[in-house]
Amino acid sequence: MPVVFDRVSFAYHTPADQRKAKKGLVARIRERRTEVAGADSDAPQSEDPRATGQERTRPAWGVSAHDEWALRDVSFTLADGEFLGLAGHTGSGKSTLIQHMNGLLSPTEGRVTVDGRDLADKAAARDCRGFVGVVFQYPERQLFAETVLDDVAFGPKNLGLSDAEARERAEEALRSVDLRPEDIGGKSPFALSGGMQRRAALAGVIAMHPRVLVLDEPAAGLDPQAREELLRLIARLHASGMSVLMASHNMDDLARLCDRVMVLNRGRILMEGPPAVVFSQGDRLRAIGLDAPFAQNMAVRLRSRGLSVSDRLHSIQSLADELADLHRQAQRHESARSGEGAGDTAHA
Ligand SMILES: Nc1ncnc2c1ncn2[C@@H]1O[C@H](COP(=O)(O)OP(=O)(O)OP(=O)(O)O)[C@@H](O)[C@H]1O
Ligand SMILES: [Mg+2]
């Protein structure tokens, strides 16, 4: 069930939105300016700016900072079984992209297909919600039912399953996130710890039996132990056959878990490839305000202090290997020098 983005661009405020938002003088002035900008767009200088290499950050009808493209010309495929990471500075478009994965948002230009079906088709978008499970940021804020079991069974019931079937799915989903339905199923979701609430919310998505799991900053705000548990869980769900798209601010998590990483910058794909390739380019990441993985930062610091480690490291393992090599070299050098020293003494 591949998910394909084909030259997707998206702006939150289209001219239609602006008309809807027509309230008071400011809106009327903006609308007038939009018309003027629209008239200008017939002028030769406002032809497709991509052709002249002078791409604007705003759509042709955009007049203010609020009209900027949140996504611009985004094309990629999430292949079956793949674990794709999504990195990018605040406001780069990660959450906007994620909401296109199951048709919650529709492209202003371009298209998104799931298993070949265009999500612009309402029936396709509805069907795809059964296969593409989206876990939004802080999903525990959407827990609402009186008991954990009712909350997790809510989705399956909406799929039309009987109470007994929905309950069975909910129990299975809770176990898959390491929560025991017999212990916590009857409790209020709000009685659980933060980490457990997050996992219960994830169970609500898993109970729908998605084949594609989409996660927006799944570990944000959790304590170190809860985040480790959650990330291990996500790796396990991926190993069980789900394709995963995960947005994260944590480059180390992405470097560790993903098959491939995409870096968004101001709505565009800036870099894309295996973590070893993307994360070894610390300078490019830092240039757009992103942090590089720990190993990459450490390598840069060590180089600045005169150690000749590679500046293209991205994993703790590769850093450890290089340091071990350096250590061996230093030992050889040292023993050669002390050998020479011993020789000098003998001569004297
Ligand atoms: N509901 C909205 N209405 C208008 N503009 C929005 C809305 N949501 C996001 N934007 C704008 O769209 C752009 C992309 O935002 P988005 O939330 O997708 O980024 P993000 O990469 O998820 O950021 P973060 O890392 O902070 O979660 C930003 O310029 C943001 O201000
Ligand atoms: Mg976001």
Side-chain angles (χ1 to χ4, degrees):
M1 176 147 308
V3 183
V4 179
F5 275 52
D6 181 12
R7 301 201 67 179
V8 170
S9 294
F10 179 80
Y12 278 96
H13 298 271
T14 63
D17 296 331
Q18 291 168 4
R19 276 194 293 278
K20 271 188 237 157
K22 201 164 42 163
K23 280 187 203 135
L25 184 63
V26 175
R28 283 203 297 280
I29 291 170
R30 273 188 65 195
E31 193 173 39
R32 173 73 192 124
R33 289 174 63 198
T34 308
E35 283 164 20
V36 172
D40 280 347
S41 69
D42 292 335
Q45 69 268 26
S46 52
E47 280 171 9
D48 185 355
R50 278 170 289 176
T52 60
Q54 300 207 320
E55 168 82 90
R56 298 185 302 198
T57 57
R58 287 198 274 279
W61 38 260
V63 289
S64 77
H66 298 295
D67 304 326
E68 290 197 354
W69 293 114
L71 291 178
R72 188 62 175 142
D73 249 338
V74 170
S75 296
F76 70 93
T77 299
L78 174 67
D80 283 345
E82 189 179 23
F83 197 138
L84 176 61
L86 192 56
H89 200 266
T90 291
S92 60
K94 302 181 295 297
S95 298
T96 305
L97 185 154
I98 277 175
Q99 291 172 74
H100 281 74
M101 293 289 290
N102 68 352
L104 274 182
L105 291 177
S106 298
T108 310
E109 290 175 10
R111 61 184 202 139
V112 179
T113 60
V114 175
D115 216 13
R117 296 177 70 192
D118 190 338
L119 297 191
D121 172 25
K122 282 206 173 73
R126 201 178 45 238
D127 291 349
C128 116
R129 288 191 194 135
F131 305 115
V132 181
V134 179
V135 181
F136 295 105
Q137 233 178 326
Y138 303 108
E140 61 278 11
R141 290 180 187 166
Q142 283 160 31
L143 295 169
F144 70 98
E146 279 186 19
T147 70
V148 173
L149 208 52
D150 283 347
D151 208 293
V152 179
F154 178 77
K157 269 190 203 159
N158 265 358
L159 285 181
L161 299 185
S162 71
D163 283 0
E165 285 168 326
R167 190 187 163 96
E168 201 175 308
R169 281 235 196 157
E171 289 181 351
E172 170 203 62
L174 283 168
R175 283 196 198 94
S176 79
V177 298
D178 299 332
L179 293 174
R180 288 163 54 88
E182 48 282 13
D183 294 344
I184 56 123
K187 286 191 180 167
S188 159
F190 307 104
L192 305 181
S193 71
M196 287 166 106
Q197 283 188 4
R198 182 78 51 98
R199 280 186 276 145
L202 176 57
V205 172
I206 290 172
M208 308 284 281
H209 287 182
R211 287 160 63 183
V212 180
L213 187 61
V214 182
L215 303 143
D216 197 352
E217 299 277 353
L222 296 181
D223 65 60
Q225 193 193 335
R227 32 172 316 113
E228 261 323 297
E229 280 169 11
L230 190 78
L231 292 172
R232 243 197 331 265
L233 186 61
I234 293 167
R236 205 167 71 205
L237 291 167
H238 172 242
S240 76
M242 285 184 199
S243 352
V244 178
L245 177 106
M246 179 174 92
S248 175
H249 276 114
N250 190 310
M251 303 302 130
D252 286 290
D253 293 347
L254 292 174
R256 189 156 54 109
L257 292 169
C258 301
D259 302 317
R260 195 156 62 97
V261 180
M262 228 157 55
V263 179
L264 283 182
N265 183 40
R266 303 192 70 190
R268 286 177 174 279
I269 299 177
L270 180 76
M271 295 155 85
E272 185 262 311
V277 174
V278 171
F279 287 133
S280 57
Q281 302 176 57
D283 288 347
R284 284 186 80 192
L285 295 172
R286 281 183 282 269
I288 58 163
L290 274 189
D291 204 5
F294 170 82
Q296 163 63 211
N297 286 335
M298 185 54 85
V300 170
R301 242 178 281 157
L302 291 172
R303 278 173 73 82
S304 74
R305 292 186 182 194
L307 274 184
S308 65
V309 293
S310 160
D311 58 0
R312 297 184 71 80
L313 298 172
H314 77 287
S315 70
I316 300 285
Q317 191 54 54
S318 54
L319 177 63
D321 290 346
E322 286 240 355
L323 289 177
D325 263 1
L326 279 179
H327 183 61
R328 274 192 293 275
Q329 277 175 28
Q331 273 182 329
R332 274 200 297 274
H333 191 65
E334 194 56 39
S335 59
R337 272 187 48 191
S338 57
E340 277 168 24
D344 290 350
T345 318
H347 273 293

